[in-house]
Amino acid sequence: MLDKELERRRLDSLYDDLFPICRSITGPGLRESLDIVSEHIPLEIEGVPSGTSVFDWEIPAEWRIYDARLTGPDGKTYANFQKTNLSVVNYSEPVDRRLMLDELDPHLYTNPEVSNATPYVTSYYDRTWGFCLPHDIYEGLPDGEYHAYIDSEFVDGELNYAHATLQGESEREVLLSSYLCHPSLANNELSGPLVLTSLYKRLKQWDERIYTYRFVLCPETIGSLTYLSEHGEHLKSRLAGGIVLTCLGGPNGRLSYKTTRREDALVDEIARNIDEYGAFDFEIRPFTPTEGSDERQYCSPGFNLPVGQMARTVYGEYEGYHNDEDDKEFMGISPLVESAAVIERVLQGFEYADYFENQEPYGEPMLGKRDLYPNVNSPERWVDTDAEVDKPEFLDRILMILNYSDGQHSLVEIANMLNASVLELIPAVEILKRNDLLTRRADR
Amino acid sequence: MLDKELERRRLDSLYDDLFPICRSITGPGLRESLDIVSEHIPLEIEGVPSGTSVFDWEIPAEWRIYDARLTGPDGKTYANFQKTNLSVVNYSEPVDRRLMLDELDPHLYTNPEVSNATPYVTSYYDRTWGFCLPHDIYEGLPDGEYHAYIDSEFVDGELNYAHATLQGESEREVLLSSYLCHPSLANNELSGPLVLTSLYKRLKQWDERIYTYRFVLCPETIGSLTYLSEHGEHLKSRLAGGIVLTCLGGPNGRLSYKTTRREDALVDEIARNIDEYGAFDFEIRPFTPTEGSDERQYCSPGFNLPVGQMARTVYGEYEGYHNDEDDKEFMGISPLVESAAVIERVLQGFEYADYFENQEPYGEPMLGKRDLYPNVNSPERWVDTDAEVDKPEFLDRILMILNYSDGQHSLVEIANMLNASVLELIPAVEILKRNDLLTRRADR
Amino acid sequence: MLDKELERRRLDSLYDDLFPICRSITGPGLRESLDIVSEHIPLEIEGVPSGTSVFDWEIPAEWRIYDARLTGPDGKTYANFQKTNLSVVNYSEPVDRRLMLDELDPHLYTNPEVSNATPYVTSYYDRTWGFCLPHDIYEGLPDGEYHAYIDSEFVDGELNYAHATLQGESEREVLLSSYLCHPSLANNELSGPLVLTSLYKRLKQWDERIYTYRFVLCPETIGSLTYLSEHGEHLKSRLAGGIVLTCLGGPNGRLSYKTTRREDALVDEIARNIDEYGAFDFEIRPFTPTEGSDERQYCSPGFNLPVGQMARTVYGEYEGYHNDEDDKEFMGISPLVESAAVIERVLQGFEYADYFENQEPYGEPMLGKRDLYPNVNSPERWVDTDAEVDKPEFLDRILMILNYSDGQHSLVEIANMLNASVLELIPAVEILKRNDLLTRRADR
């Protein structure tokens, strides 16, 4: 286990490096951010040219933004890209015009519900330009002529994404995917990539990995579509499960798991099992295609991958969502460390959640000769050759695992029968494996 | 939509033409009735000879009745076919005998539970004769010699049934079946055929019919058995669903749906969906072979067709069932118009209840380029290019329909997920079809 | 039906013959006991040599015990095999030693929870020796030198088991299995074999048996493993169901059924059906491999046979379990007779629980021509040609059995739909069979 305080400091510093960058779904800000994350995960960074068809979509021209400013008739600057990159509509076309307030008005965006915050607005696929500002300021804008200035350009460039793997015993994979594409936002932008770096470091330290772990970072929606376009068939044939990471900080006390579209994938079962019987309590949200993150693409019907989603303070459910209140203070760094620790435990459970096979299925195996059963059947005596096996409950677990490991019942199903989390059953599984009574199912 | 008052008047007049005729499972009364209904539905009327084997049954000789009268020792007429055709046991053999009351008694039928009504009694397959009279009159019959006179005959004739179809786009069919065989009864005889004529006229006016609709009128039980004997294999290969129409008038405020034997046929699902989320509330009765109408034959295990049953004031659950209290006043004409209107809506839902297929299943389709999604992602703006699509709820429906139209989920299942009736989803389905994002499943 | 008082006396006398014998999983006591039971069931007694491999196990050397005694420093006898054969640890190796109390202590076994009883202790697979005594006496043992004397030997012998069959119409079998291996214990030893003899006699008297019944007696665990080793493939291909008999006496008022591992085997369904709708109330225990009797072997995953278990006063749930309080007074003989009577009824239900096939599945069969339906359809008249068929409920049963006997619904499922026990439906099934409307499914 990593020292949590070190981890907290590393994430805090990484946050500070990433936060000021003006990211979008393409462009230099995205590339710079991926380079910074690469110092923590050995990412391969890929580029796909603008104009490439991606299923029903097309990769848009690359957007580059240099400056933006809205100056009032009174000479005051009402929106300033240099002060916050949220103040320009993301993917704005260039503009250098003087116009009256009523002409300008359709280009101004506010959020009256959070009237003192600058909202985050995008227009990726419809050419327009605009400024974002607090509704309170918008309400007091003086009449007169304004100067709208946006120094941006669209170039034939590329869309970038990045990935890395941690090899395990099996070719079967677990996907951990998050996104980078929002400018200066915290919980709904940086929390995912930051937790992803922690998970990479934690999983790298495991003594043994059954599955191969795939770490993906891409711009949301168009990025995961591009990833599926290039790697979807690979994922279809290899994926044992996956989790999209989003909004993993903030004040909420417990993690929230959104199930896969299948609803009964192994990753759903392990999340429910740990929620019900383990040390962590989750909110379990059913799958929906109507809101969420890249799991909407991974779980589109043509792919229907076994990918769920983990969040803490969920998109759309907090006031700072998509505005500049979503900052480090709101998100916090410690919640990210906690999120990484819990997700690591879920993945440890997932490693064991699948099917095992009893190697002595005809009759009950003779446990006595393996010192797993009290050879003298007396009301007073229990074996104590091993500290772990001196309890009747441990024997019950062994008998249940053996009896139901018939290729029809996954370990998570057996754990549910035992009112236990899969994590609690690992010692029993390991003893049975050492005694050649249990093996992982070959086709896993 | 037909004008309801015109429809009411048409049904009222048709009722008056049909009510007085003495129908049975065979004979001139049945033929005359089918001819009259033919003026409203272009029925083909078929005849199957007496003596024909029909599965485990045999078509009986044709029964013709001319007159019947029971005269008392006091010269009074205690039962008179000319006054009500219920007063003779249906399928009575001819008789012209004088006999004492105790000899006569086994040939007299009453219903002590409804002591002032003449019951409806039949003896199709066991040769006997009898009179039906109110129990109150039976109780006061004077001793002495009676004259029992029934002028009837059995001839080598035929059993008649009738059918018509309204062609749709698909060869797959929806069956609408009712019966004609009871003499002067209203709710439990004429309500079904009358509603059938309304449905024919209503469905004929639809702009588009997906399914081909088959309208069947036959005597109950032996008639539907005969129909199955001649057309059962056709129905087995073509039927998408069906409804038997019975007892569709009377005082009950809501319709009552008896499920198919399968219990999960599409017609069951649409009835439950509309009951749960639609504008109409149904009573849902589970299938049983122990009572009912021709769905018992359609749903016999050798056929097991997806045929449910619609009723309003259900057989056996009202005092006038099978006696002369079941008349126009009890049944009413307006309830029939209401029944037809509701069943038409159920059928409109059924047209969409089946499986659709998302034509862009890899990733979420790009809705923005089709003006189905707000291109500027801002807290304030929603697309309003089309009055129907300016609400987030409409977008949610589009996303759900697309995501789950994978060949595994029928539209009725998707509607249930959305807590909506299929009828409410039709606008979204139509927009998606127009945008080439959705098609009906080919094998429908 | 046997006269219950005669049965009670027979079992009482058989009990007295069997109780004093010192049985174990092998040896002369087991053989002598099987010989005695053979006087009531024509058992074939088989022997399998010591050292034979049985799946993951090996048949141990045969144990023979002649005498055992523990004498104190005061000359008192603190444990005496001649007084109760429980006082020596079953499978003790021979010993003739003088030792001090602290040296002796690890060889003394008591049950502090039932401090005045001699516990039953075994050490089949680990060579040791020991004495069992009441905890109260153990607490007062004087210091000093003791004489431990056990006259036993291990020989190359055999393990014995016994079986018999009662032929039925079908080659498919029902297994009734119990065990013999504990020395002088009653409920948890003799109750099963005694009830087995009653069931043999009861089933032999049936006019007709659909299934062939297989009666098995063997030492617990190693005996059923040996039986499966020799006859498991036969059971796998032939077994329609089975019940392990254990602990069938004692004070509990109702029987308790432990389901098969499959949980939905026909024998589980019939037990639930009779519990829910029949004259008997059962406790239903779910299957578990963690405790129980030989069903743990029959239901091991490699066999997964449809074998449940019947008990009354269940192992582990009474104070006298595995100690000398488990005697005739505790067990009682009358409860055994009651247990046999109830299990016989369950087996009678099981004979009908399977699938029947309607021979006229197209439409409803014409019941009228078979006098199963009122030919005159009048509110007053019902057929009464047969006392059994004069009730509408009987007709409902007939219609339900016919409609659902489609090869997809077992009679126990149909009975559940009718809120009736299978036993209640037998008259209707028999009438339908006599009328050639129903047959047993051929592949039964």
Side-chain angles (χ1 to χ4, degrees):
Chain A
M1 204 57 89
L2 294 172
D3 176 79
K4 285 191 176 180
E5 179 51 25
L6 279 179
E7 189 173 3
R8 210 195 56 71
R9 282 188 214 163
R10 184 181 62 74
L11 294 182
D12 195 277
S13 155
L14 178 55
Y15 178 92
D16 291 343
D17 293 345
L18 290 167
F19 185 76
I21 300 168
C22 182
R23 281 168 295 276
S24 182
I25 56 174
T26 63
L30 172 59
R31 275 189 293 274
E32 189 187 344
S33 301
L34 292 172
D35 283 340
I36 292 171
V37 178
S38 291
E39 293 159 24
H40 301 259
I41 309 178
L43 291 169
E44 278 184 73
I45 300 175
E46 315 281 359
V48 181
S50 307
T52 304
S53 280
V54 175
F55 305 123
D56 194 39
W57 303 61
E58 191 180 284
I59 293 179
E62 189 179 311
W63 182 60
R64 298 186 182 170
I65 174 84
Y66 306 103
D67 200 2
R69 195 178 331 112
L70 177 67
T71 317
D74 50 2
K76 273 173 123 173
T77 304
Y78 287 99
N80 187 348
F81 177 72
Q82 303 304 336
K83 220 169 128 199
T84 167
N85 53 34
L86 295 174
S87 63
V88 64
V89 167
N90 206 290
Y91 255 71
S92 277
E93 59 192 347
V95 69
D96 187 358
R97 275 177 65 193
R98 286 169 201 278
L99 22 53
M100 300 306 288
L101 183 56
D102 58 345
E103 237 185 319
L104 175 68
D105 191 60
H107 294 276
L108 300 183
Y109 296 87
T110 71
N111 183 352
E113 309 274 315
V114 195
S115 63
N116 61 339
T118 300
Y120 163 60
V121 175
T122 68
S123 181
Y124 301 136
Y125 302 102
D126 209 31
R127 283 288 152 86
T128 186
W129 59 268
F131 292 96
C132 305
L133 63 169
H135 196 71
D136 290 347
I137 289 174
Y138 168 80
E139 295 271 284
L141 286 180
D143 278 335
E145 195 188 68
Y146 284 74
H147 180 204
Y149 173 73
I150 299 180
D151 180 12
S152 67
E153 63 175 335
F154 294 100
V155 302
D156 238 13
E158 57 187 24
L159 175 142
N160 302 99
Y161 67 82
H163 53 170
T165 56
L166 268 177
Q167 186 66 40
E169 288 175 26
S170 166
E171 293 303 308
R172 295 201 67 201
E173 295 187 3
V174 173
L175 174 71
L176 298 169
S177 177
S178 195
Y179 52 86
L180 268 177
C181 59
H182 306 68
S184 295
L185 292 170
N187 186 45
N188 183 29
E189 168 72 358
L190 295 179
S191 72
L194 264 55
V195 168
L196 199 74
T197 64
S198 283
L199 286 170
Y200 183 87
K201 288 178 193 293
R202 285 166 176 267
L203 272 58
K204 197 169 160 57
Q205 293 197 335
W206 286 3
D207 292 337
E208 178 189 44
R209 282 182 299 276
I210 300 305
Y211 296 108
T212 293
Y213 287 80
R214 174 173 294 265
F215 298 79
V216 172
L217 265 182
C218 54
E220 214 173 7
T221 304
I222 186 70
S224 53
L225 285 162
T226 303
Y227 198 81
L228 282 167
S229 174
E230 304 218 328
H231 306 284
E233 290 308 311
H234 176 93
L235 294 181
K236 255 178 149 170
S237 67
R238 296 286 182 86
L239 219 56
I243 303 176
V244 166
L245 307 177
T246 178
C247 297
L248 285 159
N252 275 7
R254 58 176 183 167
L255 286 182
S256 166
Y257 177 75
K258 176 180 174 180
T259 72
T260 75
R261 180 174 180 275
R262 305 173 179 192
E263 291 176 7
D264 63 352
L266 208 56
V267 62
D268 302 319
E269 299 299 340
I270 192 68
R272 288 194 194 97
N273 171 262
I274 290 178
D275 172 51
E276 184 89 11
Y277 304 112
F280 314 110
D281 202 24
F282 299 136
E283 180 198 2
I284 306 277
R285 285 169 291 150
F287 177 78
T288 172
T290 63
E291 57 169 29
S293 183
D294 290 322
E295 76 284 354
R296 290 166 57 180
Q297 310 311 323
Y298 295 125
C299 297
S300 57
F303 290 106
N304 197 23
L305 297 172
V307 176
Q309 182 224 75
M310 274 287 185
R312 179 180 291 271
T313 305
V314 181
Y315 43 83
E317 296 181 5
Y318 59 99
E319 198 183 78
Y321 176 65
H322 274 194
N323 65 56
D324 64 0
E325 288 188 359
D326 186 355
D327 59 9
K328 182 156 80 172
E329 188 186 1
F330 174 78
M331 178 186 81
I333 300 294
S334 296
L336 305 189
V337 177
E338 288 313 309
S339 293
V342 173
I343 296 169
E344 182 186 12
R345 290 297 280 160
V346 171
L347 295 173
Q348 282 170 331
F350 188 75
E351 293 258 309
Y352 283 83
D354 209 342
Y355 294 80
F356 289 83
E357 284 184 346
N358 177 347
Q359 298 301 297
E360 292 287 352
Y362 298 99
E364 188 178 293
M366 196 192 176
L367 299 177
K369 69 185 179 191
R370 299 177 175 92
D371 283 332
L372 295 171
Y373 198 85
N375 275 303
V376 177
N377 180 21
S378 125
E380 280 274 271
R381 309 276 166 113
W382 274 99
V383 271
D384 53 4
T385 48
D386 182 327
E388 291 178 311
V389 295
D390 67 344
K391 289 186 212 118
E393 196 179 352
F394 192 84
L395 179 56
D396 283 358
R397 288 177 176 180
I398 280 178
L399 290 168
M400 287 287 285
I401 292 168
L402 286 171
N403 191 287
Y404 287 105
S405 290
D406 58 355
Q408 308 295 312
H409 300 83
S410 66
L411 192 69
V412 70
E413 290 176 89
I414 299 171
N416 290 340
M417 291 184 198
L418 279 162
N419 296 344
S421 84
V422 164
L423 295 165
E424 293 172 274
L425 299 194
I426 294 175
V429 168
E430 287 300 327
I431 278 183
L432 292 171
K433 280 168 68 189
R434 282 203 300 277
N435 279 280
D436 298 324
L437 286 174
L438 204 68
T439 57
R440 287 181 179 271
R441 201 168 68 177
D443 66 343
R444 182 184 40 83
Chain B
M1 203 57 87
L2 293 173
D3 177 77
K4 284 192 175 180
E5 178 52 25
L6 278 179
E7 189 174 2
R8 211 195 54 71
R9 282 188 216 161
R10 185 182 63 72
L11 294 182
D12 195 277
S13 156
L14 179 54
Y15 177 93
D16 290 344
D17 293 346
L18 290 168
F19 186 75
I21 300 168
C22 182
R23 282 169 294 277
S24 182
I25 56 174
T26 62
L30 172 59
R31 276 189 293 274
E32 188 187 344
S33 301
L34 291 173
D35 283 340
I36 291 170
V37 177
S38 291
E39 292 160 24
H40 301 260
I41 308 178
L43 292 169
E44 278 185 73
I45 300 174
E46 315 281 357
V48 180
S50 307
T52 304
S53 280
V54 175
F55 305 124
D56 194 40
W57 303 61
E58 191 180 285
I59 293 179
E62 189 179 310
W63 182 59
R64 300 185 182 169
I65 174 83
Y66 307 104
D67 200 3
R69 197 178 329 112
L70 177 66
T71 316
D74 49 4
K76 272 171 124 171
T77 306
Y78 287 98
N80 186 348
F81 177 73
Q82 302 303 336
K83 222 171 126 197
T84 168
N85 53 35
L86 296 174
S87 63
V88 64
V89 167
N90 205 290
Y91 255 74
S92 277
E93 60 191 348
V95 68
D96 187 0
R97 275 177 64 193
R98 286 166 202 281
L99 21 53
M100 301 305 289
L101 184 56
D102 58 344
E103 238 184 320
L104 175 67
D105 191 60
H107 295 276
L108 300 183
Y109 296 88
T110 72
N111 182 353
E113 308 274 314
V114 195
S115 64
N116 61 339
T118 301
Y120 162 61
V121 176
T122 68
S123 181
Y124 301 136
Y125 302 100
D126 208 31
R127 283 289 152 85
T128 185
W129 59 269
F131 292 96
C132 304
L133 64 167
H135 196 71
D136 291 346
I137 289 175
Y138 168 80
E139 296 271 284
L141 286 181
D143 278 336
E145 194 188 68
Y146 285 74
H147 179 202
Y149 173 72
I150 298 178
D151 182 11
S152 67
E153 63 175 335
F154 295 99
V155 303
D156 239 10
E158 57 187 26
L159 175 142
N160 301 99
Y161 67 81
H163 54 170
T165 56
L166 269 177
Q167 186 65 39
E169 287 174 27
S170 166
E171 294 303 308
R172 295 202 67 201
E173 296 187 2
V174 173
L175 174 72
L176 298 168
S177 177
S178 195
Y179 52 86
L180 269 175
C181 60
H182 307 67
S184 296
L185 292 170
N187 187 45
N188 183 29
E189 168 72 356
L190 295 179
S191 72
L194 265 56
V195 169
L196 198 74
T197 65
S198 283
L199 286 171
Y200 184 87
K201 288 178 193 294
R202 286 166 175 267
L203 272 57
K204 197 172 162 54
Q205 292 197 336
W206 285 2
D207 292 337
E208 180 191 39
R209 281 183 298 277
I210 301 303
Y211 296 108
T212 293
Y213 287 82
R214 175 172 294 267
F215 299 79
V216 172
L217 267 181
C218 55
E220 213 172 7
T221 304
I222 186 70
S224 52
L225 285 163
T226 302
Y227 198 81
L228 283 168
S229 174
E230 303 217 329
H231 306 284
E233 290 308 311
H234 176 92
L235 294 181
K236 255 178 149 168
S237 67
R238 296 285 183 85
L239 220 54
I243 304 177
V244 166
L245 307 176
T246 177
C247 297
L248 285 160
N252 275 7
R254 58 175 184 168
L255 286 183
S256 165
Y257 177 74
K258 176 180 173 180
T259 72
T260 73
R261 181 175 179 275
R262 303 172 181 194
E263 290 176 7
D264 64 351
L266 207 56
V267 62
D268 302 320
E269 298 299 339
I270 192 67
R272 287 194 194 99
N273 171 262
I274 291 179
D275 171 52
E276 184 89 11
Y277 304 112
F280 314 111
D281 202 25
F282 299 136
E283 179 197 2
I284 306 277
R285 286 168 290 149
F287 177 77
T288 173
T290 63
E291 57 170 27
S293 182
D294 289 322
E295 76 283 354
R296 291 167 55 181
Q297 310 311 323
Y298 295 125
C299 297
S300 57
F303 291 106
N304 197 23
L305 297 173
V307 176
Q309 181 224 77
M310 275 286 188
R312 182 180 290 271
T313 305
V314 181
Y315 44 82
E317 297 181 5
Y318 59 99
E319 198 182 81
Y321 176 66
H322 274 193
N323 66 56
D324 64 0
E325 288 188 357
D326 186 356
D327 59 10
K328 182 155 79 171
E329 188 186 1
F330 174 78
M331 176 186 82
I333 299 295
S334 296
L336 303 190
V337 177
E338 288 313 309
S339 293
V342 173
I343 295 170
E344 182 187 13
R345 291 296 281 159
V346 171
L347 295 173
Q348 281 169 333
F350 188 75
E351 293 259 309
Y352 283 83
D354 210 341
Y355 294 81
F356 288 84
E357 282 184 347
N358 178 348
Q359 296 301 296
E360 293 287 353
Y362 297 98
E364 188 178 292
M366 195 191 176
L367 299 177
K369 69 184 180 191
R370 298 176 176 92
D371 283 333
L372 295 171
Y373 197 85
N375 275 304
V376 178
N377 180 21
S378 124
E380 279 273 272
R381 310 272 166 115
W382 272 99
V383 275
D384 53 3
T385 49
D386 182 325
E388 290 178 312
V389 294
D390 67 344
K391 286 185 215 119
E393 196 180 352
F394 193 83
L395 179 57
D396 282 358
R397 286 176 178 180
I398 279 179
L399 290 168
M400 286 287 286
I401 292 168
L402 285 171
N403 191 287
Y404 288 105
S405 289
D406 59 353
Q408 308 296 312
H409 299 82
S410 67
L411 193 69
V412 70
E413 289 175 271
I414 299 171
N416 290 340
M417 290 183 199
L418 280 162
N419 294 346
S421 85
V422 164
L423 295 166
E424 293 173 273
L425 298 195
I426 294 175
V429 168
E430 287 300 328
I431 278 183
L432 292 172
K433 280 168 67 189
R434 282 203 302 276
N435 279 281
D436 298 325
L437 286 173
L438 204 67
T439 58
R440 286 179 180 272
R441 200 167 70 176
D443 66 341
R444 185 185 37 83
Chain C
M1 206 55 91
L2 293 172
D3 177 78
K4 286 192 176 179
E5 179 51 25
L6 279 179
E7 189 175 1
R8 210 195 56 71
R9 281 189 215 163
R10 186 183 60 75
L11 294 182
D12 195 275
S13 155
L14 178 54
Y15 177 93
D16 290 344
D17 293 346
L18 290 167
F19 186 75
I21 299 168
C22 182
R23 281 170 296 276
S24 183
I25 55 173
T26 62
L30 172 59
R31 276 189 293 275
E32 188 188 345
S33 300
L34 290 173
D35 284 340
I36 292 170
V37 177
S38 290
E39 291 160 26
H40 301 260
I41 308 178
L43 292 169
E44 279 185 72
I45 300 174
E46 315 281 359
V48 180
S50 308
T52 303
S53 280
V54 175
F55 307 123
D56 194 40
W57 303 61
E58 191 180 286
I59 293 179
E62 190 177 312
W63 182 60
R64 298 186 183 169
I65 174 83
Y66 307 103
D67 200 3
R69 195 178 331 112
L70 176 67
T71 317
D74 50 3
K76 273 171 122 175
T77 305
Y78 287 98
N80 187 348
F81 177 73
Q82 303 303 334
K83 220 169 128 198
T84 168
N85 52 37
L86 295 174
S87 63
V88 64
V89 168
N90 206 290
Y91 254 73
S92 277
E93 59 191 349
V95 68
D96 188 359
R97 276 178 62 195
R98 286 165 202 281
L99 19 57
M100 300 306 288
L101 183 56
D102 58 345
E103 237 184 321
L104 174 67
D105 192 59
H107 295 275
L108 300 183
Y109 297 88
T110 72
N111 183 352
E113 309 274 313
V114 195
S115 64
N116 61 339
T118 300
Y120 163 60
V121 175
T122 68
S123 182
Y124 301 138
Y125 301 102
D126 209 31
R127 283 287 153 85
T128 185
W129 59 269
F131 292 95
C132 304
L133 65 169
H135 196 70
D136 290 347
I137 288 174
Y138 169 80
E139 296 271 283
L141 286 181
D143 279 334
E145 193 187 70
Y146 285 75
H147 180 204
Y149 174 73
I150 299 178
D151 181 11
S152 67
E153 62 175 335
F154 295 101
V155 303
D156 238 10
E158 59 187 24
L159 175 144
N160 301 99
Y161 67 82
H163 53 171
T165 56
L166 268 177
Q167 186 66 39
E169 288 174 26
S170 166
E171 293 302 308
R172 294 201 68 202
E173 294 187 3
V174 173
L175 173 71
L176 298 169
S177 176
S178 194
Y179 52 87
L180 268 176
C181 60
H182 306 68
S184 296
L185 292 169
N187 186 46
N188 183 29
E189 167 73 356
L190 295 179
S191 71
L194 264 54
V195 169
L196 198 75
T197 64
S198 282
L199 285 170
Y200 184 88
K201 287 177 194 294
R202 286 165 176 266
L203 273 58
K204 196 170 161 58
Q205 292 196 337
W206 285 3
D207 291 337
E208 180 189 41
R209 281 181 299 275
I210 300 302
Y211 296 107
T212 293
Y213 287 81
R214 175 174 295 264
F215 299 79
V216 172
L217 265 182
C218 55
E220 213 172 6
T221 306
I222 186 68
S224 52
L225 285 163
T226 303
Y227 198 80
L228 282 167
S229 174
E230 303 218 328
H231 305 284
E233 291 308 311
H234 176 93
L235 294 181
K236 255 178 149 169
S237 66
R238 296 287 182 85
L239 219 57
I243 303 176
V244 166
L245 307 177
T246 178
C247 297
L248 285 159
N252 275 7
R254 58 177 185 166
L255 286 183
S256 166
Y257 177 74
K258 175 181 175 181
T259 72
T260 74
R261 181 175 179 276
R262 304 173 179 194
E263 290 177 7
D264 63 352
L266 209 56
V267 62
D268 301 320
E269 299 298 339
I270 193 67
R272 288 194 193 97
N273 170 262
I274 291 178
D275 171 51
E276 185 89 12
Y277 304 112
F280 314 110
D281 201 25
F282 299 136
E283 180 197 2
I284 307 277
R285 285 168 291 150
F287 177 77
T288 173
T290 62
E291 57 170 27
S293 182
D294 290 322
E295 74 284 353
R296 291 168 55 179
Q297 310 312 324
Y298 295 127
C299 296
S300 57
F303 291 106
N304 198 23
L305 297 172
V307 176
Q309 182 224 76
M310 276 284 189
R312 180 180 292 273
T313 305
V314 181
Y315 43 81
E317 298 181 4
Y318 59 99
E319 198 182 80
Y321 176 65
H322 274 192
N323 66 55
D324 65 359
E325 287 188 1
D326 185 355
D327 60 9
K328 182 156 80 171
E329 189 188 2
F330 174 78
M331 177 186 81
I333 299 294
S334 296
L336 304 189
V337 177
E338 288 314 310
S339 294
V342 173
I343 296 170
E344 182 186 14
R345 290 296 280 159
V346 170
L347 296 173
Q348 282 169 333
F350 189 76
E351 294 258 308
Y352 282 84
D354 210 340
Y355 294 81
F356 288 84
E357 283 183 346
N358 177 348
Q359 297 300 296
E360 292 287 353
Y362 298 98
E364 188 178 294
M366 195 189 177
L367 299 176
K369 70 185 178 188
R370 299 177 175 92
D371 284 332
L372 295 172
Y373 199 84
N375 275 303
V376 179
N377 179 21
S378 126
E380 279 275 272
R381 308 275 166 112
W382 274 98
V383 273
D384 53 4
T385 49
D386 183 326
E388 290 177 312
V389 294
D390 67 345
K391 288 187 213 118
E393 196 180 351
F394 193 84
L395 179 56
D396 283 357
R397 288 177 176 180
I398 279 178
L399 290 169
M400 286 288 285
I401 292 168
L402 285 171
N403 190 288
Y404 287 104
S405 289
D406 58 355
Q408 308 295 313
H409 300 81
S410 66
L411 193 69
V412 70
E413 290 176 89
I414 299 171
N416 289 340
M417 291 184 198
L418 280 162
N419 296 344
S421 85
V422 164
L423 294 165
E424 293 172 274
L425 298 194
I426 294 175
V429 167
E430 286 300 327
I431 278 182
L432 291 171
K433 282 168 65 187
R434 283 203 301 276
N435 279 279
D436 297 325
L437 286 174
L438 204 68
T439 58
R440 287 180 179 271
R441 199 167 72 176
D443 66 343
R444 181 183 40 80

